[in-house]
Amino acid sequence: MCGIVGYVGPKQAAPVLLEGLSKLEYRGYDSAGVAVMTDEGIVVKKKKGRLSCLSEMIDGGAAIHGTMGIGHTRWATHGEPSDTNSHPHLSNSGRFAVVHNGIIENYLKLREYLTKKGFEFISETDTEVIAHLFEYYYKGDIIETMIKVLSKVDGSYALGVLCADNPDSFIAVRKESPLIVGLGEGENFIASDIPAILSHTRDVYFLDNNEIVVINKDEVKIYNTDREEITKEAYKVDWDISAAEKGGYEHFMFKEIMEQPRAIADTVSPRIKDGKVVLDDISLTADYIRNINKIYVVACGSAYHVGVVGKYVIEDMVRIPVEVMVASEFRYCNPIADEKTLVVLISQSGETADTIAAMREAKRRGARTFAIVNAVGSCIAREADDVLYTWAGPEIAVATTKAYSTQLTAIYLMSIYFGQELGTLPKEKIAKYIKAIETLPQRIEKLLENKGDIQYIASKYFSAKSVFFIGRTLDYAVALEGSLKLKEISYIHSEAYAAGELKHGTIALMEEGTVVVALCTVKELFDKMLSNIKEVKARGAVVIAIAEEGHKEIEEEADHVIYVPKCDALTMPSEVVVPLQLFSYYVSSLKGLDIDKPRNLAKSVTVE
Ligand code: F6R
């Protein structure tokens, strides 16, 4: 995710900003920039690439003179990584400089509006509208302008804004994107994350949504959007720097598990407008979709597992046959793909060698390619015919969690969109599915609140030798992911099976104490799963069941039951995967393993 730092005090601002941004590098970024208030007005310097490139350009900060400024590390969302798209963004007159984390959902409309008013846009970013809105509404009062701007933008944001008319103070605000204020002696800071300011102060304010803060070196004033002043209690940070990088959590994986509600909301909400799914950047027409005779979903590892869920979802909503394939197989299997075939590629990094090769093979055969990618500007994003971005932000733990969840979300969005364009989905169903994905973040929050129950179960079985995950249809698809998660970070042997397939051989492995995680959330197959549980219990297995709330009868068969909130069947995988991620996490933690960097694995597999 992007990083923000702001400073006002007696020191030269640019070196302080560079140092603060360096503490946020762990979050991942593709460009960096600073804006400093100088005697000649606001000076902006920004550069694509590592922070060291920016630092070199401004001589470690010494090249810009001024004691107040804002800085940013950007993880591209709207527009590829480039010097121009990096932050800060200036308004046309240069009076305002803005850094922004989050997504402005209505930026296209605002861009159009401001263009008509004569504003010239230089970048492809959503952020630039903020700089121009400030310019447009400014009548000499910065707080008033901020309130006006906030009333015009939808979405999530943490903003830091310099105004050339105010050489001693700057203004900031947040909504759904974190921002803190650091309180120093004769100096004050803002930051999107604690590590950025921890070497200067441990006293911070955590801003709430839509709290506006005006900061000078001696004073911090906070207002609500009615311009009433708010008093806040300062919080003393007692974490060390490495805990702070992980948001106070012990591991990035856990932090990323906890970030899932936000990541899903960021992926969904900009794409829902007036009760419809709107995919602005997609050029596929209804005519094209109508002529598709087959969809391939091609990916690796967890992204492939998203495809396995995707097959059920796409076929149900769109009624086009789907084949799911691991990318390393696709290119060698002489796939039947032509100009009527759509090949959907799923990748967090957008740089996975096998998926890239599969994409090129699909294109060679004349197929159209549609990528679901997290890293903006990555190879797959650049080369695919269409890209639907998952706005999960950077994922640092090797084992994917929030990227997997947002990829699932992208599959729902894509399927609803296709069904909507083709007319295969009636209006009521579209409304039902949209509601299901819009409310998903709340249900996942609820699951995360019950993490203690899963930790308890993990504490009973973390020394298991072998764990089986079983389920049917969509549950089977999630079982694949649950099993991969466990083996990659806990090194426990694990397999995922379609529950009905067990009796064709694998049940021979069941013995006293074998752990079986039985996913039982598919309503019409619930009784069949009860029978499968009985089968494995009869051979001595211990069963941890996952079931939808209300299915109490399962308690008679399983040793432990984890309940997930009721929801629409097609979106249930997004819920079921959460306890499985937590289970793997806690097992690995109890075994004392290197959770974020499991042995033999790399975050991005760029070789065949
Ligand atoms: C497992 C995991 C991997 C990736 C796979 C594809 O937790 O992260 O299985 O899903 O290597 O990577 P991307 O999505 O970057 O193509």
Side-chain angles (χ1 to χ4, degrees):
M1 212 77 81
C2 311
I4 288 179
V5 188
Y7 173 77
V8 52
K11 299 175 193 142
Q12 285 300 308
V16 177
L17 297 174
L18 288 173
E19 186 236 3
L21 292 175
S22 74
K23 298 291 178 353
L24 301 179
E25 281 192 290
Y26 72 94
R27 295 156 62 102
Y29 66 100
D30 48 56
S31 52
V34 293
V36 175
M37 187 72 78
T38 71
D39 291 344
E40 287 80 45
I42 298 172
V43 170
V44 170
K45 296 284 174 194
K46 48 192 193 172
K47 189 112 194 93
K48 178 181 164 185
R50 310 299 303 164
L51 189 60
S52 52
C53 306
L54 172 71
S55 181
E56 210 170 290
M57 180 166 109
I58 56 173
D59 193 14
I64 319 174
H65 300 280
T67 56
M68 179 172 81
I70 49 179
H72 192 263
T73 43
R74 173 173 188 253
W75 166 268
T77 57
H78 298 67
E80 58 176 21
S82 69
D83 291 352
T84 315
N85 287 336
S86 9
H87 301 209
H89 289 283
L90 279 171
S91 63
N92 284 161
S93 70
R95 180 182 272 138
F96 294 96
V98 176
V99 289
H100 165 224
N101 286 358
I103 291 168
I104 303 301
E105 290 168 12
N106 57 340
Y107 84 102
L108 280 176
K109 231 165 82 189
L110 292 169
R111 196 178 166 115
E112 213 179 289
Y113 178 77
L114 289 161
T115 306
K116 278 192 197 136
K117 298 282 172 199
F119 285 89
E120 195 195 331
F121 281 81
I122 291 156
S123 77
E124 301 157 278
T125 64
D126 53 338
T127 304
E128 198 181 344
V129 296
I130 306 269
H132 298 324
L133 280 176
F134 264 91
E135 182 87 55
Y136 183 56
Y137 288 117
Y138 183 66
K139 292 196 176 67
D141 183 330
I142 190 75
I143 301 177
E144 196 132 320
T145 314
M146 174 67 99
I147 293 170
K148 186 77 184 168
V149 171
L150 297 186
S151 73
K152 298 290 171 194
V153 296
D154 299 331
S156 57
Y157 43 78
L159 295 173
V161 183
L162 293 185
C163 171
D165 293 353
N166 301 341
D168 303 319
S169 67
F170 66 100
I171 192 162
V173 70
R174 68 152 287 205
K175 186 183 150 220
E176 310 299 351
S177 204
L179 195 71
I180 58 162
V181 179
L183 307 164
E185 295 277 328
E187 58 180 1
N188 289 305
F189 306 80
I190 57 163
S192 51
D193 215 349
I194 292 171
I197 55 164
L198 212 50
S199 61
H200 302 279
T201 177
R202 290 183 168 268
D203 297 319
V204 300
Y205 288 144
F206 288 104
L207 293 179
D208 288 319
N209 277 346
N210 283 323
E211 286 180 348
I212 298 165
V213 53
V214 180
I215 300 170
N216 67 34
K217 70 182 177 44
D218 301 310
E219 201 175 40
V220 172
K221 288 198 171 202
I222 306 173
Y223 302 89
N224 63 20
T225 46
D226 291 327
R227 215 186 168 142
E228 291 158 344
E229 204 175 325
I230 298 170
T231 45
K232 257 186 135 45
E233 218 160 287
Y235 176 90
K236 197 155 220 59
V237 179
D238 54 8
W239 310 330
D240 64 17
I241 190 94
S242 89
E245 284 180 351
K246 295 165 190 146
Y249 300 119
E250 220 176 311
H251 301 101
F252 284 113
M253 182 181 176
F254 196 74
K255 176 172 179 267
E256 287 158 8
I257 289 174
M258 301 304 278
E259 282 171 354
Q260 289 180 111
R262 179 78 253 134
I264 292 172
D266 282 347
T267 303
V268 171
S269 56
R271 271 90 182 228
I272 309 287
K273 284 181 195 124
D274 305 323
K276 286 183 86 176
V277 172
V278 178
L279 302 182
D280 284 322
D281 305 336
I282 302 302
S283 58
L284 279 176
T285 59
D287 274 348
Y288 185 87
I289 304 171
R290 201 163 292 116
N291 278 320
I292 296 173
N293 56 14
K294 180 178 187 178
I295 297 177
Y296 272 110
V297 183
V298 182
C300 303
S302 296
Y304 164 77
H305 297 155
V306 171
V308 183
V309 175
K311 175 179 168 66
Y312 294 101
V313 177
I314 302 166
E315 288 187 345
D316 195 286
M317 292 194 194
V318 191
R319 308 308 296 156
I320 295 176
V322 177
E323 190 170 344
V324 194
M325 263 211 184
V326 287
S328 53
E329 289 293 305
F330 181 84
R331 57 196 288 209
Y332 298 121
C333 75
N334 195 10
I336 303 175
D338 56 25
E339 57 289 345
K340 289 190 169 177
T341 311
L342 182 71
V343 177
V344 178
L345 303 136
I346 308 177
S347 178
Q348 187 284 126
S349 60
E351 299 291 349
T352 301
D354 286 324
T355 314
I356 294 172
M359 171 181 65
R360 291 177 181 159
E361 180 60 30
K363 287 188 143 199
R364 205 179 62 77
R365 287 170 186 258
R368 194 176 168 111
T369 51
F370 183 106
I372 294 175
V373 173
N374 195 41
V376 175
S378 57
C379 174
I380 296 175
R382 287 195 314 271
E383 288 188 24
D385 297 312
D386 281 299
V387 189
L388 180 57
Y389 283 113
T390 52
W391 284 326
E395 198 176 54
I396 291 162
V398 165
T400 181
T401 52
K402 62 175 181 170
Y404 171 92
S405 289
T406 52
Q407 286 163 353
L408 276 185
T409 310
I411 285 284
Y412 305 145
L413 286 166
M414 182 192 101
S415 306
I416 301 170
Y417 180 76
F418 281 17
Q420 182 185 281
E421 297 302 293
L422 287 182
T424 49
L425 274 183
K427 273 207 174 87
E428 319 75 68
K429 279 210 169 172
I430 294 175
K432 184 178 86 155
Y433 291 139
I434 287 180
K435 185 162 176 229
I437 54 173
E438 282 187 318
T439 52
L440 198 49
Q442 286 106 282
R443 292 196 300 281
I444 293 181
E445 291 281 7
K446 195 169 159 196
L447 278 165
L448 293 172
E449 276 164 24
N450 296 335
K451 54 190 180 302
D453 299 348
I454 294 156
Q455 189 172 24
Y456 167 75
I457 297 172
S459 74
K460 294 190 71 105
Y461 303 111
F462 73 95
S463 45
K465 290 275 165 297
S466 190
V467 178
F468 287 82
F469 289 76
I470 59 170
R472 286 166 180 264
T473 66
L474 282 166
D475 276 337
Y476 167 58
V478 188
L480 291 167
E481 177 60 6
S483 174
L484 177 63
K485 226 49 336 142
L486 186 72
K487 64 189 128 196
E488 67 182 331
I489 61 168
S490 77
Y491 317 146
I492 294 175
H493 166 253
S494 170
E495 290 185 43
Y497 260 84
E501 183 67 7
L502 271 186
K503 58 185 175 296
H504 298 287
T506 308
I507 201 160
L509 294 173
M510 293 296 149
E511 57 185 13
E512 206 57 40
T514 306
V515 177
V516 175
V517 181
L519 313 187
C520 313
T521 68
V522 179
K523 282 193 199 64
E524 54 279 21
L525 297 171
F526 183 74
D527 290 341
K528 298 241 185 293
M529 283 304 298
L530 284 186
S531 307
N532 293 131
I533 291 175
K534 283 193 178 108
E535 277 164 19
V536 296
K537 291 269 326 162
R539 273 99 185 157
V542 177
V543 173
I544 303 163
I546 301 194
E548 198 179 51
E549 278 168 354
H551 284 276
K552 285 260 173 214
E553 59 273 42
I554 201 158
E555 290 175 19
E556 282 167 32
E557 307 298 340
D559 298 271
H560 307 273
V561 184
I562 299 163
Y563 288 107
V564 294
K566 282 187 195 309
C567 76
D568 181 85
L570 292 179
T571 55
M572 187 52 109
S574 294
E575 293 190 17
V576 176
V577 76
V578 175
L580 303 186
Q581 295 166 341
L582 287 167
F583 180 70
S584 303
Y585 172 81
Y586 286 124
V587 166
S588 179
S589 159
L590 287 154
K591 291 180 81 168
L593 299 172
D594 189 352
I595 298 181
D596 286 334
K597 290 199 187 85
R599 70 186 181 202
N600 307 339
L601 295 177
K603 182 67 188 158
S604 179
V605 186
T606 52
V607 289
E608 188 183 348

